[in-house]
Amino acid sequence: MAGVRALCLASGGGQQGPVLAAAGANVTVFDISPKQLARDDQVASREVLELRTVLGDMRDLSAFDDDAFDLIINPVSTVFCPSLAPVWAEAFRVLRPGGLLLTGFMNPDVYLFDEESLDQQSLVVRHRLPFSSLDLSEVDRMRAYGDGPIEYSHSLTEQIGGQLVAGFMLTDLVEAPHHADITAQYLPAYIATRAIKP
C-alpha cells in the first residue's frame, strides 16, 4: 500500500483509516461526524500513524480535486445517506482512471423486519421497502434506534446500478451474513462490491 492515495469515504471511527495508514497508504478519512473523525485522530496518534481527517457530507467531495485518489474504501455507511447518486458520481470524479472503489452496504431486505423482534431473535415482517427510520413514529424510532442517526435502506438498483450509472465497472461482488442477529440464518445481510473507474 506504500504511496497509495486512499480515501476512506464516510469511514470515520478509527478503523479502516489507521489500518491503511499502517500499511503505508497516504490516507484521508472523510466523514460527517466530528466524533467519528476524532476517533481516527486518536488511533493515529496512539499508533504514531499519519492520516488526514476531513469533515463533510459524502455526497459532496468538492474538497478534493478530480483524480485525487487511487482507492476509495466505503464501509457500510450508505445506510446513513438519503440519496446515493451524488455519492457515486463524486466518488467517480475523485478517483483516477484505473482507481478502485470498494464499498459495503446492507442488504435492503434486512429492513423488512421489526427491529425489536430481531433483538429477540424473531423475524417479524413490518416495513415496506425502501425503508427510512424517519417513517417510524417518534416512539418507535427511539425504541429501535435511540438517538442514533437516521437510517435508509437502498435498493440494489441504487447501490449497484448507481455505481454503473456513474461510470464504474463492477469487477466483484460478495455477500456475508450479519454477525449478530437472526437474519444470519436466512439471508446475507451484507454485500460488498469492487468497482474500477475505466
Coordinates of all heavy atoms in Angstrom, one line a residue, residues 78 84 88 103-110 129-130 152-165 170 173-175 188-193:
T78 N -23.5 3.9 3.7 CA -24.6 4.5 2.8 C -26.0 4.4 3.5 O -26.9 5.1 3.1 CB -24.6 3.8 1.4 OG1 -24.8 2.4 1.5 CG2 -23.3 4.2 0.6
L84 N -28.1 8.3 -3.0 CA -26.8 7.8 -3.4 C -26.2 8.2 -4.7 O -25.0 8.1 -4.9 CB -26.9 6.2 -3.3 CG -27.2 5.6 -2.0 CD1 -27.1 4.1 -2.1 CD2 -26.4 6.2 -0.9
W88 N -22.0 8.3 -5.7 CA -21.2 7.5 -6.7 C -20.7 8.5 -7.8 O -19.5 8.2 -8.3 CB -22.2 6.5 -7.4 CG -22.8 5.5 -6.5 CD1 -24.1 5.2 -6.5 CD2 -22.2 4.9 -5.3 NE1 -24.4 4.3 -5.4 CE2 -23.2 4.1 -4.7 CE3 -21.0 4.8 -4.8 CZ2 -23.0 3.3 -3.6 CZ3 -20.7 4.0 -3.7 CH2 -21.7 3.3 -3.1
T103 N -16.8 -0.9 -1.7 CA -17.9 -0.4 -0.9 C -18.7 -1.6 -0.3 O -18.8 -2.6 -0.9 CB -18.8 0.5 -1.6 OG1 -19.8 1.1 -0.7 CG2 -19.6 -0.2 -2.7
G104 N -19.2 -1.4 0.9 CA -20.0 -2.4 1.6 C -21.3 -1.8 2.0 O -21.4 -0.6 2.2
F105 N -22.4 -2.5 1.9 CA -23.7 -2.0 2.2 C -24.6 -3.1 2.8 O -24.4 -4.3 2.6 CB -24.3 -1.2 1.1 CG -24.4 -2.0 -0.2 CD1 -25.5 -2.8 -0.5 CD2 -23.3 -2.0 -1.1 CE1 -25.6 -3.5 -1.7 CE2 -23.4 -2.7 -2.3 CZ -24.5 -3.5 -2.6
M106 N -25.7 -2.6 3.4 CA -26.7 -3.5 3.9 C -27.6 -4.1 2.8 O -28.0 -3.3 1.9 CB -27.6 -2.8 4.9 CG -26.9 -2.4 6.2 SD -26.3 -3.8 7.2 CE -27.8 -4.6 7.7
N107 N -27.9 -5.4 2.9 CA -28.9 -6.0 2.0 C -30.2 -5.3 2.4 O -30.6 -5.3 3.5 CB -29.0 -7.5 2.3 CG -30.0 -8.2 1.4 OD1 -31.0 -7.6 1.0 ND2 -29.8 -9.5 1.3
P108 N -30.9 -4.6 1.4 CA -32.1 -3.9 1.8 C -33.2 -4.8 2.4 O -34.0 -4.3 3.2 CB -32.6 -3.3 0.4 CG -31.9 -4.0 -0.6 CD -30.6 -4.5 0.0
D109 N -33.2 -6.1 2.1 CA -34.2 -7.0 2.7 C -34.2 -7.0 4.2 O -35.2 -7.3 4.8 CB -34.1 -8.4 2.1 CG -34.4 -8.4 0.6 OD1 -35.0 -7.4 0.1 OD2 -34.1 -9.4 0.0
V110 N -33.0 -6.7 4.8 CA -32.9 -6.7 6.2 C -33.9 -5.7 6.9 O -34.4 -5.9 8.0 CB -31.5 -6.5 6.7 CG1 -31.4 -6.2 8.2 CG2 -30.6 -7.6 6.3
L129 N -40.3 -1.5 1.7 CA -39.1 -1.0 1.2 C -39.3 -0.1 0.0 O -40.3 -0.3 -0.7 CB -38.2 -2.2 0.7 CG -37.8 -3.2 1.8 CD1 -37.0 -4.3 1.2 CD2 -37.1 -2.6 2.9
P130 N -38.6 1.0 -0.2 CA -37.4 1.3 0.6 C -37.9 1.9 2.0 O -38.9 2.4 2.2 CB -36.7 2.4 -0.2 CG -37.8 3.0 -1.0 CD -38.8 1.9 -1.3
Y152 N -31.5 4.6 6.2 CA -32.2 4.4 5.0 C -31.8 3.1 4.3 O -30.6 2.8 4.2 CB -31.8 5.5 4.0 CG -32.0 6.9 4.5 CD1 -31.0 7.6 5.2 CD2 -33.2 7.6 4.3 CE1 -31.2 8.9 5.7 CE2 -33.4 8.9 4.7 CZ -32.4 9.5 5.5 OH -32.6 10.8 5.9
S153 N -32.8 2.3 3.9 CA -32.4 1.2 3.1 C -32.3 1.7 1.6 O -32.9 2.7 1.3 CB -33.5 0.1 3.1 OG -34.7 0.5 2.3
H154 N -31.5 1.1 0.8 CA -31.4 1.5 -0.6 C -31.5 0.2 -1.4 O -30.9 -0.8 -1.1 CB -30.0 2.2 -0.8 CG -29.9 3.5 -0.1 ND1 -30.6 4.6 -0.5 CD2 -29.1 3.9 0.9 CE1 -30.2 5.6 0.2 NE2 -29.4 5.2 1.2
S155 N -32.2 0.4 -2.5 CA -32.4 -0.8 -3.4 C -31.0 -1.2 -4.0 O -30.1 -0.4 -4.0 CB -33.4 -0.4 -4.5 OG -32.8 0.5 -5.4
L156 N -31.0 -2.4 -4.5 CA -29.8 -2.8 -5.2 C -29.6 -2.0 -6.5 O -28.5 -1.7 -6.9 CB -29.9 -4.3 -5.6 CG -29.9 -5.2 -4.4 CD1 -30.0 -6.7 -4.9 CD2 -28.7 -5.0 -3.5
T157 N -30.7 -1.5 -7.0 CA -30.6 -0.5 -8.2 C -29.8 0.7 -7.8 O -28.9 1.2 -8.5 CB -32.0 -0.2 -8.7 OG1 -32.6 -1.4 -9.2 CG2 -31.9 0.8 -9.9
E158 N -30.1 1.3 -6.6 CA -29.4 2.5 -6.1 C -28.0 2.1 -5.8 O -27.1 2.9 -6.1 CB -30.1 3.0 -4.9 CG -31.4 3.7 -5.1 CD -32.0 4.1 -3.8 OE1 -32.6 3.3 -3.1 OE2 -31.9 5.3 -3.5
Q159 N -27.7 1.0 -5.2 CA -26.4 0.7 -4.7 C -25.5 0.2 -5.9 O -24.5 0.9 -6.1 CB -26.4 -0.5 -3.7 CG -27.1 -0.1 -2.4 CD -26.2 0.8 -1.5 OE1 -25.1 1.2 -1.9 NE2 -26.6 0.9 -0.2
I160 N -25.9 -0.8 -6.6 CA -25.1 -1.4 -7.6 C -25.3 -0.7 -9.0 O -24.4 -0.2 -9.6 CB -25.3 -2.9 -7.7 CG1 -24.9 -3.6 -6.4 CG2 -24.5 -3.5 -8.9 CD1 -25.4 -5.0 -6.3
G161 N -26.6 -0.5 -9.3 CA -26.9 0.2 -10.5 C -26.4 1.6 -10.5 O -26.0 2.1 -11.5
G162 N -26.4 2.2 -9.3 CA -26.0 3.6 -9.2 C -24.5 3.7 -9.5 O -24.0 4.7 -10.1
Q163 N -23.7 2.7 -9.1 CA -22.3 2.7 -9.4 C -22.1 2.6 -10.9 O -21.2 3.3 -11.5 CB -21.6 1.6 -8.7 CG -21.5 1.7 -7.2 CD -20.9 0.5 -6.5 OE1 -19.8 0.1 -7.0 NE2 -21.5 0.0 -5.5
L164 N -22.9 1.8 -11.6 CA -22.7 1.6 -13.0 C -23.1 2.8 -13.8 O -22.4 3.2 -14.7 CB -23.6 0.4 -13.4 CG -23.2 -1.0 -12.8 CD1 -24.2 -2.0 -13.2 CD2 -21.8 -1.4 -13.2
V165 N -24.2 3.5 -13.3 CA -24.7 4.7 -14.0 C -23.6 5.8 -13.9 O -23.3 6.6 -14.8 CB -26.0 5.2 -13.4 CG1 -26.3 6.6 -13.8 CG2 -27.1 4.3 -13.8
L170 N -18.2 -2.8 -12.5 CA -18.2 -3.7 -11.4 C -17.3 -4.9 -11.7 O -17.4 -5.5 -12.8 CB -19.6 -4.2 -11.1 CG -19.9 -4.9 -9.8 CD1 -19.7 -4.0 -8.7 CD2 -21.3 -5.5 -9.8
L173 N -18.4 -9.0 -6.5 CA -19.5 -8.8 -5.5 C -19.5 -10.0 -4.6 O -19.4 -11.2 -5.0 CB -20.8 -8.7 -6.2 CG -22.0 -8.5 -5.4 CD1 -23.1 -7.7 -6.1 CD2 -22.7 -9.8 -4.9
V174 N -19.5 -9.8 -3.3 CA -19.6 -10.9 -2.3 C -20.7 -10.5 -1.3 O -21.1 -9.4 -1.1 CB -18.3 -11.1 -1.5 CG1 -17.2 -11.6 -2.5 CG2 -17.8 -9.8 -0.8
E175 N -21.3 -11.6 -0.7 CA -22.3 -11.4 0.4 C -21.8 -12.1 1.6 O -21.0 -13.1 1.6 CB -23.6 -12.1 -0.1 CG -24.2 -11.5 -1.4 CD -25.4 -12.3 -1.9 OE1 -25.1 -13.4 -2.3 OE2 -26.5 -11.8 -1.8
P188 N -28.1 -13.3 3.5 CA -26.9 -12.4 3.7 C -27.3 -11.0 4.0 O -28.2 -10.4 3.3 CB -26.2 -12.5 2.4 CG -27.2 -12.8 1.4 CD -28.3 -13.6 2.1
A189 N -26.8 -10.4 5.1 CA -27.2 -9.1 5.4 C -26.2 -8.0 4.9 O -26.6 -6.9 4.8 CB -27.2 -8.9 7.0
Y190 N -25.0 -8.5 4.5 CA -24.1 -7.5 4.0 C -23.7 -7.9 2.5 O -23.6 -9.1 2.2 CB -22.8 -7.5 4.8 CG -23.0 -7.1 6.2 CD1 -22.9 -8.0 7.3 CD2 -23.3 -5.8 6.5 CE1 -23.0 -7.5 8.6 CE2 -23.5 -5.3 7.8 CZ -23.4 -6.2 8.8 OH -23.6 -5.8 10.1
I191 N -23.5 -6.9 1.7 CA -23.0 -7.0 0.4 C -21.8 -6.1 0.2 O -21.8 -5.0 0.7 CB -24.1 -6.7 -0.7 CG1 -25.3 -7.6 -0.4 CG2 -23.6 -6.8 -2.1 CD1 -26.6 -7.2 -1.2
A192 N -20.8 -6.6 -0.5 CA -19.6 -5.7 -0.8 C -19.3 -5.8 -2.3 O -19.5 -6.9 -2.9 CB -18.4 -6.2 0.0
T193 N -19.0 -4.7 -2.9 CA -18.6 -4.7 -4.3 C -17.2 -4.1 -4.5 O -16.8 -3.3 -3.7 CB -19.6 -3.8 -5.1 OG1 -19.7 -2.5 -4.6 CG2 -21.0 -4.5 -5.1

